Amino acid sequence: MPFKIGIVGVGYAGFDTMTPGLSTRELMFEAASRAYADAGIDPRKDVQSFICCTEDFWEGISITDEYMPDQLGAVLRPLCTVSSDGLVGVATACMHIASGLADVAVVESHSKASDVVNPNEIMSFGFDPVYNRHLDVDPRFLAGLEMTRYLKDSGTKREYCADVAVKNKKNALSNTRGVYGTNLSRETVLASPNAAAPLTELESSKVIDGSIVMVLASAEKAKKLGDHTVWVRGIGWSSDTPVIEDRDLATAAYAEQAAARAYKMADVRAPVSAFDLAEVDDTYSYKELQHLEALKLAAKGKAGRMVDSGSFDRNGKLPVNASGGSLGVGHLLEATGLHRLLEAILQLRGQAGQLQIPGARKAVVQSWRGIPTATGAVAVLGN
Amino acid sequence: MSQKITSYPGHEITPEDLKASKYLEIIQKVEPKYSWAAGVAISRFLNELKEGRLIGRKCDQCERILVPPRMYCERCYRPTDSWVYVKDTGTVNTYSISHVGTDARRLKSPLLVAVVEIDEASPGMGILHTLSEVEPSRVTIGMKVQAVWKPAEERQGAITDIRYFKPFEGV
Ligand SMILES: [Zn+2]
C-alpha cells in the first residue's frame, strides 16, 4: 500500500528579527494554538505523540525537552525531543503514526535566535575538538570550503550563486513572513562583504525568531479532520560522516540519499518533472544549487545555469523557494525544515496568497541542519 | 578497577606529565551567552517581586490561580484570564536538608531547600526557595512560613528578592 500520512494542521508565530515581547514558551503557545485550531483538535485529548526539535545550546538550558510540555498541551502526555531539524521530527511523527502508536502526532520546532548573544560560539562548538577547533574564525569558513569545491567540481559560474540570493530575496518581498525581502542586482550581491570567500554576506542567510507547529494524522483520521489535508507520500533523512575532511564537499550526499529514499517511497521516478514546486535549503546561496542537484531537480553542474535562465523563478518551469527561502524570509535554526514544509503546504492548500503557484498539487521539501552538520531530510508532498 | 583486572599496563598520567607536555591536553572554554526574553508572565512576576508582592494568573475554566504566573493553563490548554495578587505566606509542601554544596564540599551549615505552597494560590502552586531562622530539626511538612524580603532598594526583580522563608509568626 502506498505511504500516506496527512498533515492536517499548521500554525506559526513570530517570523521577525526579534520577538522581545514573548518568551520562547509563549511564542510556542501561540503557534501551537493556531495549529490545533487549524486541525480542529484538542491537544489534551486527541494527540498520542508530541515531538519537539530543539538543541540545548540554542535554548541555553540543558535537557531542554523537559521544558516543552505545558505550552503544547502535552503535560502528562507522550512527548520526546528529536535533537535535529524539524523535518526529521516530521519523519519521527510519521513513524509513530505508521507503527500504530499514534493516530495524531504533533511536531514543533522554533528559533529564538534573538535570545542568543553569540551564536557563532555555539556553531563553532560543534566542530571536532581535537582536529578542527583550533581554527579561530567565523564558522562559515566551512561554507567557503564547500562552495569553492562545488564551483570547481560542478563547473558552475560563481555569479550563479549570487543569482540564488537575488531570486530568493526578491520572492520574499511578496511573502508576509519575509523579513529579508529586497530587490538586489547580482553585482550588489557579489560586491557585498566577504563572509568566508567566495561566500559573501548577502549570500548568507540571517537568523530570525519563530515557532512552527504541524499536526499529522493517519490517513483514516485525517479524513475526519478538516478538508485541507496535505499528504506526506515519502520521507527520508540521512547523515554523512562528521569528519569534514572525509566528506565530498562538492556535493550534498546527505540530501541525495534522503531524496532517493523519499522518492522511492513516493514512487517518484522522474523528479525533474514530478513537482509543481520545491522548497529546498538555501542557508547559503550555493547550498540551493548543491541541493537542487542532490534532489535531481537539475542535472549535475546545471543548477546554476537554470537559476540564471529563470527556470526556478516563481513563474518558471519549477518554482524553487517561491517563498523566499531562508535567504529571503530568514533562517529559523532547527525550525528551518518546518519552514520549508510550511511554505509548501500553504501552496498545496491554495493558501499562499500573493505567492500562490496556480494549480500546485505536488511538492518536494528539503532541509539541512546547518554548519557543521551534514544532515538533511526530504519529504514528498501531495494534496 | 574491576575485581578480575588488578592492574593495567602502563602508568597513570601525573600532573607533572601534563606540565611537561608529555600528553595532549585540550582545554577549551565555551561561553555561550543568552539574553532571554522573559515574556509577558515572567516579566510581570519579576516586576512585582521588585515591589515586594507576589502575583499569579487565574484560569477561569479550572479556576486555578497559577503562581508563578503563566499566560496559558497547561491543564485546560487555553490562555489564562486575569492577574491576581496572592499573599507572601505559605505552607511547606516538602523540604530537604542539603549538606553538600555544588562543588561537592560539605557545607558548614546545611541549606534548607523547600517547596512553599503559596497562600491564595491553588493547592500545589508554589515557589522553590530556602528556609531560614529555623533549626533544621524543627522543619516539618505543613509548617506555615512567610517570605523575608530584601529591603526595597536592594530588590532587582529576581526570585532572590525574597531572601528566604521563615516560620510564620502572624495569625
Ligand atoms: Zn485551566
Side-chain angles (χ1 to χ4, degrees):
Chain A
M1 218 176 70
F3 183 81
K4 200 176 172 188
I5 282 171
I7 299 175
V8 295
V10 298
Y12 61 89
F15 282 91
D16 216 334
T17 51
M18 294 185 83
T19 47
L22 298 175
S23 67
T24 304
R25 290 172 226 171
E26 288 166 356
L27 188 72
M28 289 170 68
F29 177 74
E30 270 195 19
S33 297
R34 287 172 185 154
Y36 301 153
D38 187 46
I41 59 156
D42 175 354
R44 305 296 294 142
K45 296 192 196 110
D46 302 329
V47 180
Q48 294 80 36
S49 172
F50 293 87
I51 297 154
C52 275
C53 300
T54 64
E55 156 56 51
D56 290 2
F57 272 100
W58 290 128
E59 306 288 318
I61 195 161
S62 60
I63 323 175
T64 189
D65 15 343
E66 294 298 313
Y67 290 84
M68 299 299 132
D70 297 32
Q71 59 274 24
L72 295 178
V75 171
L76 288 174
R77 310 285 295 168
L79 177 140
C80 70
T81 286
V82 171
S83 182
S84 194
D85 175 83
L87 210 49
V88 179
V90 170
T92 308
C94 285
M95 288 191 282
H96 288 183
I97 292 169
S99 70
L101 267 180
D103 274 336
V104 177
V106 166
V107 183
E108 191 275 348
S109 190
H110 57 267
S111 157
K112 200 61 157 100
S114 66
D115 279 0
V116 185
V117 177
N118 53 353
N120 276 1
E121 177 92 354
I122 290 166
M123 235 195 267
S124 295
F125 202 55
F127 283 109
D128 184 281
V130 175
Y131 296 119
N132 301 149
R133 264 193 226 157
H134 59 95
L135 298 165
D136 191 16
V137 287
D138 185 299
R140 288 177 296 176
F141 73 83
L142 179 54
L145 295 175
E146 287 188 349
M147 187 172 172
T148 304
R149 191 72 219 189
Y150 170 74
L151 291 174
K152 169 91 163 57
D153 285 17
S154 66
T156 298
K157 269 198 202 163
R158 195 262 168 271
E159 291 78 9
Y160 295 160
C161 294
D163 293 345
V164 172
V166 171
K167 167 177 75 72
N168 293 358
K169 284 172 183 290
K170 184 178 169 210
N171 285 346
L173 281 171
S174 311
N175 190 339
T176 50
R177 290 167 291 284
V179 174
Y180 294 104
T182 175
N183 264 318
L184 295 172
S185 68
R186 177 195 266 186
E187 289 67 34
T188 311
V189 173
L190 290 170
S192 76
N194 278 318
L199 188 78
T200 66
E201 284 294 348
L202 282 173
E203 291 175 294
S204 186
S205 60
K206 308 288 176 229
V207 287
I208 56 167
D209 289 357
S211 168
I212 303 173
V213 175
M214 302 275 164
V215 182
L216 283 85
S218 64
E220 204 175 315
K221 186 79 183 172
K223 283 184 201 134
K224 296 174 196 152
L225 294 171
D227 53 358
H228 51 213
T229 301
V230 167
W231 301 99
V232 181
R233 306 310 302 258
I235 192 158
W237 64 104
S238 184
S239 292
D240 203 343
T241 173
V243 183
I244 289 165
E245 299 87 332
D246 283 6
R247 293 180 194 157
D248 177 355
L249 295 174
T251 66
Y254 53 88
E256 216 169 289
Q257 242 197 46
R261 289 188 191 133
Y263 290 165
K264 195 173 172 210
M265 278 172 90
D267 198 26
V268 172
R269 287 166 202 192
V272 81
S273 57
F275 306 109
D276 301 311
L277 67 120
E279 286 280 328
V280 307
D281 182 87
D282 65 330
T283 300
Y284 308 110
S285 60
Y286 72 94
K287 273 289 177 193
E288 178 171 306
L289 303 181
Q290 261 192 350
H291 291 147
L292 284 170
E293 292 171 16
L295 267 57
K296 300 199 166 18
L297 301 174
K300 288 259 177 205
K302 294 287 184 287
R305 187 187 300 272
M306 288 172 75
V307 171
D308 176 53
S309 67
S311 298
F312 298 133
D313 284 355
R314 255 164 61 196
N315 55 1
K317 203 169 79 159
L318 175 68
V320 172
N321 291 329
S323 63
S326 293
L327 284 165
V329 176
H331 193 275
L332 286 157
L333 302 179
E334 299 286 38
T336 299
L338 288 191
H339 176 219
R340 301 275 65 73
L341 184 59
L342 169 72
E343 299 288 357
I345 289 171
L346 295 177
Q347 288 284 0
L348 298 187
R349 282 180 172 189
Q351 295 176 343
Q354 268 190 286
L355 302 168
Q356 188 63 47
I357 296 155
R361 295 186 55 80
K362 286 180 176 171
V364 59
V365 301
Q366 179 258 331
S367 70
W368 171 54
R369 221 186 151 198
I371 288 175
T373 83
T375 290
V378 172
V380 173
L381 308 175
N383 61 6
Chain B
M1 197 122 348
S2 81
Q3 284 180 331
K4 284 181 189 163
I5 303 167
T6 53
S7 70
Y8 290 118
H11 65 90
E12 282 181 33
I13 296 172
T14 65
E16 288 71 38
D17 288 341
L18 286 176
K19 238 180 249 166
S21 295
K22 280 176 76 175
Y23 299 94
L24 173 66
E25 186 183 33
I26 295 169
I27 298 172
Q28 186 166 1
K29 210 160 136 190
V30 60
E31 285 185 283
K33 291 195 187 89
Y34 305 92
S35 58
W36 291 291
V40 183
I42 295 176
S43 297
R44 177 72 189 267
F45 186 66
L46 298 180
N47 280 323
E48 294 291 348
L49 284 175
K50 212 168 178 178
E51 302 303 318
R53 291 189 296 241
L54 294 180
I55 199 163
R57 284 284 293 182
K58 189 171 179 214
C59 171
D60 285 348
Q61 189 164 307
C62 63
E63 301 196 317
R64 288 188 308 154
I65 293 170
L66 315 184
V67 176
R70 274 142 269 180
M71 299 314 290
Y72 43 83
C73 173
E74 83 284 6
R75 287 198 192 161
C76 305
Y77 202 70
R78 60 188 291 281
T80 49
D81 300 280
S82 51
W83 296 101
V84 184
Y85 285 109
V86 293
K87 289 184 177 169
D88 67 351
T89 56
T91 308
V92 172
N93 171 299
T94 184
Y95 63 95
S96 166
I97 305 165
S98 297
H99 289 275
V100 184
T102 41
D103 59 359
R105 281 178 211 202
R106 304 215 49 96
L107 299 171
K108 285 201 181 107
S109 53
L111 193 71
L112 302 176
V113 181
V115 172
V116 176
E117 289 192 27
I118 298 297
D119 289 339
E120 296 176 344
S122 291
M125 286 287 159
I127 291 178
L128 178 63
H129 222 289
T130 58
L131 305 177
S132 197
E133 295 186 38
V134 58
E135 280 300 313
S137 61
R138 307 291 298 268
V139 179
T140 55
I141 286 175
M143 188 176 155
K144 295 292 291 175
V145 292
Q146 68 183 110
V148 175
W149 295 85
K150 281 182 181 170
E153 62 277 12
E154 285 176 29
R155 292 200 288 259
Q156 52 181 24
I159 195 70
T160 45
D161 288 350
I162 296 174
R163 290 173 61 206
Y164 53 81
F165 284 82
K166 68 172 188 180
F168 184 53
E169 285 151 7
V171 275

